[in-house]
Amino acid sequence: MSPPLRILGIETSCDETAASVVLRDDEGGGRILGDVVLSQLEEHSAYGGVVPEIAARAHVEALDALIAEALLRAGVTLREIDAIAATSGPGLIGGLIVGLMTGKAIARATGKPLYAVNHLEGHALTARLTDGLSFPYLMLLVSGGHTQLILVKGVGRYERWGTTIDDALGEAFDKTAKLLGLPYPGGPAVERAARAGDPERFDFPRPLVGDARLDFSFSGLKTAVRQAAQALEPVTDKDIADICASFQRAISRTLKDRVGRGLKRFKAEFAAAGEAAHPALVVAGGVAANEMLRTTLQSLCDALGFRFVAPPLALCTDNAAMIAWAGAERLAAGLPADGLDAAPRSRWPLDSEAQALIGSGKRGAKA
Ligand code: KG4
Ligand code: ZN
């Protein structure tokens, strides 16, 4: 048991500037008191992707006002905050510097402890804030920068079971959209186009299906999409719809195999030993908005006796509530705060034991 905690969270690792105040009650329950997110989508859309320099400048311009707004909505002053949690990696270094330096300045001025939080830990612990999930559980993180299957054993205790060896899943959606002439960000555009399409028309590859490891690969799929589109030149709307539907079907098959293997491994390691009476799979990241992905994961979980937990979309995508919550969990678990010398880290695997995979995380900035 730990006293109620109120934590200020700051998130600036990519293209969302966010601030939040979260309460952790003495029984470990969480409540978001104030939460603001400012998306930079418009600033970047003309470039078809996030431009680091533009992102960093936008964070500088917005962050102070957003922190004030989050505190106002929460109805608390800085004096009433117990600690500050700021994302210090992984992500775009310019943005990380802005958020972490701001967190340090507030910590210094108020004398409160600072937690330099790993952005991935924020995603990993969100399901405890939203659904009060108990350890251990499995998390699938699918965003523009990451595709990882992570075993969440406890606060600060993570094992990366699988990762992408090339593109992240959101990146595969974005690149596919780009080469079909669909707008950025590509995920929602591909999903929309796929609705009218025939998922059987193209038999796209499903890389690594059947592989004993739990890793992912999506660049071959993207290449196959390019070849299909080039062979049809000029592509019609019907062709685009069919390509998108077939692309999503290949992804669904891939996830079923890869994540299915992960769930079976989890069962063998924990549920069988009586350690996870109600095994659960949590999804996080922007691609969690995708209906096909949710349906695939839900039916997989139903078939294997898992609870499927999909936090509200605003908490699946980047936000500061998850960072504040991770800080609260660290504080409540008695983990030490970080010093004012904490450094931002553009790369920072959640599982320090995990081997870097060759070719992975090329974009590596977004989580
Ligand atoms: O977690 P997120 O908001 O941010 C970063 O990675 O920074 O994820 C964004 C990614 C983008 O690649 C976007 O195309 C993808 O999530 N995405 C989707 C959908 N909505 C967003 N992918 C597939 N279907 C969607 N409906
Ligand atoms: Zn993220």
Side-chain angles (χ1 to χ4, degrees):
M1 206 128 116
S2 115
L5 301 169
R6 276 182 288 201
I7 311 293
L8 170 67
I10 297 171
E11 160 61 38
T12 54
S13 67
C14 190
D15 57 346
E16 262 92 26
T17 318
S20 185
V21 180
V22 166
L23 172 80
R24 184 186 187 279
D25 65 32
D26 51 6
E27 289 175 351
R31 190 149 57 88
I32 298 172
L33 302 180
D35 191 36
V36 269
V37 181
L38 184 70
S39 169
Q40 303 173 1
L41 204 60
E42 278 181 19
E43 277 98 319
H44 301 287
S45 64
Y47 304 93
V50 178
V51 184
E53 179 64 20
I54 293 176
R57 283 169 187 263
H59 290 307
V60 171
E61 281 163 20
L63 188 57
D64 288 358
L66 286 189
I67 291 172
E69 177 68 21
L71 290 164
L72 190 71
R73 290 192 192 178
V76 298
T77 61
L78 276 180
R79 204 184 297 267
E80 294 164 314
I81 291 289
D82 294 291
I84 294 105
T87 304
S88 63
L92 297 172
I93 199 71
L96 293 169
I97 291 171
V98 173
L100 186 57
M101 289 304 287
T102 304
K104 285 182 185 179
I106 296 173
R108 178 70 202 238
T110 57
K112 314 277 179 179
L114 171 79
Y115 283 87
V117 170
N118 184 314
H119 178 91
L120 304 172
E121 181 169 46
H123 281 302
L125 297 176
T126 299
R128 288 169 53 76
L129 166 66
T130 57
D131 293 78
L133 219 58
S134 45
F135 300 121
Y137 55 86
L138 210 50
M139 179 189 61
L140 176 68
L141 173 62
V142 275
S143 68
H146 291 271
T147 302
Q148 300 193 358
L149 197 56
I150 291 172
L151 170 67
V152 184
K153 290 191 287 190
V155 180
R157 297 176 58 221
Y158 312 96
E159 263 176 39
R160 195 181 74 193
W161 280 8
T163 189
T164 180
I165 59 173
D166 40 58
D167 292 346
L169 184 53
E171 195 177 0
F173 270 94
D174 293 338
K175 288 180 176 172
T176 292
K178 201 168 183 175
L179 66 92
L180 294 174
L182 298 174
Y184 172 86
V190 169
E191 179 169 34
R192 224 174 300 120
R195 281 196 200 115
D198 172 8
E200 311 277 338
R201 179 163 163 203
F202 300 94
D203 191 18
F204 288 136
R206 295 156 213 160
L208 296 184
V209 163
D211 194 283
R213 290 165 305 163
L214 295 175
D215 294 320
F216 301 85
S217 165
F218 296 107
S219 77
L221 178 56
K222 175 193 64 195
T223 306
V225 166
R226 179 182 299 117
Q227 286 165 349
Q230 280 169 348
L232 292 167
E233 211 58 52
V235 284
T236 63
D237 286 352
K238 169 81 177 109
D239 293 332
I240 290 178
D242 292 346
I243 289 175
C244 289
S246 304
F247 167 80
Q248 289 210 133
R249 182 164 171 266
I251 286 169
S252 172
R253 295 279 167 92
T254 303
L255 289 176
K256 210 165 154 191
D257 176 79
R258 311 282 68 218
V259 179
R261 255 166 217 268
L263 298 185
K264 285 179 193 148
R265 175 172 166 190
F266 183 91
K267 261 197 156 164
E269 288 192 18
F270 297 99
E275 282 181 60
H278 304 289
L281 172 72
V282 177
V283 69
V287 190
N290 188 281
E291 200 62 44
M292 167 282 299
L293 176 124
R294 284 179 179 241
T295 312
T296 301
L297 297 178
Q298 181 70 65
S299 64
L300 196 57
C301 284
D302 290 346
L304 294 171
F306 274 70
R307 176 177 166 204
F308 177 52
V309 180
L313 203 59
L315 295 174
C316 279
T317 53
D318 291 350
N319 65 89
M322 70 177 188
I323 303 304
W325 178 251
E329 292 254 58
R330 294 188 83 83
L331 180 53
L335 297 177
D338 295 282
L340 293 182
D341 56 350
R345 301 169 63 174
S346 55
R347 283 180 181 266
W348 184 8
L350 196 47
D351 175 354
S352 50
E353 312 279 293
Q355 300 283 316
L357 287 187
I358 295 160
S360 69
K362 273 179 293 181
R363 191 166 137 201
K366 298 176 85 185

